[in-house]
Amino acid sequence: MRKLFFYFLLLIHINTIAQLNNQLNEYYQLVNMAELNIVDNNINEAYLNYRKAFKIKKNPFGLDQYNFAVCCAILKKKNESFKYIKSLIEYGYTKDSILNNRELNYLKSSK
């Protein structure tokens, strides 16, 4: 009976890990598409792909947040841009290094 219980727990654990891997894989695919959209200068599509990715991973990687903040700034979505800039500062990025970006320049005067 113990072995059966152990195998049951092991099966649940493996299934959970597989689901997490699938979600993380989907996150990476969406971020990759967003980055390709940026290269193609399709900022609206990049914005949408980042939004989908961030629904999957609630605490996105810093570089992804930075790129999304730039997309928001280009699309004049100041509130969203500030939200992710604030998150980056809390993550350890310096305000000056973030706002050094040309697209984020206009935010300096919009505090």
Side-chain angles (χ1 to χ4, degrees):
M1 185 68 171
R2 273 188 171 177
K3 282 186 179 182
L4 182 62
F5 182 69
F6 173 75
Y7 287 125
F8 179 71
L9 287 179
L10 184 63
L11 182 63
I12 289 173
H13 181 71
I14 291 171
N15 187 34
T16 302
I17 291 173
Q19 286 178 349
L20 290 174
N21 282 340
N22 287 340
Q23 288 176 335
L24 197 54
N25 189 28
E26 187 178 354
Y27 171 82
Y28 282 124
Q29 287 176 358
L30 287 165
V31 167
N32 185 42
M33 285 192 294
E35 290 171 349
L36 292 172
N37 293 138
I38 291 170
V39 169
D40 293 338
N41 203 28
N42 190 349
I43 305 304
N44 282 321
E45 201 62 34
Y47 171 84
L48 294 174
N49 282 318
Y50 277 122
R51 293 280 309 242
K52 290 177 192 174
F54 293 176
K55 286 181 183 176
I56 294 168
K57 186 167 176 26
K58 301 298 180 198
N59 189 18
F61 297 112
L63 181 59
D64 301 335
Q65 291 184 52
Y66 178 81
N67 288 339
F68 183 66
V70 171
C71 288
C72 291
I74 291 169
L75 296 172
K76 307 293 185 211
K77 296 177 183 289
K78 280 196 250 186
N79 291 338
E80 274 187 282
S81 192
F82 277 128
K83 175 185 171 186
Y84 284 93
I85 289 171
K86 181 181 175 192
S87 176
L88 288 168
I89 291 170
E90 290 170 358
Y91 194 67
Y93 286 73
T94 64
K95 184 178 175 183
D96 289 336
S97 70
I98 294 169
L99 295 178
N100 223 4
N101 184 294
R102 176 174 51 112
E103 283 79 11
L104 297 176
N105 249 347
Y106 89 97
L107 296 174
K108 288 181 183 178
S109 61
S110 304
K111 298 175 189 173

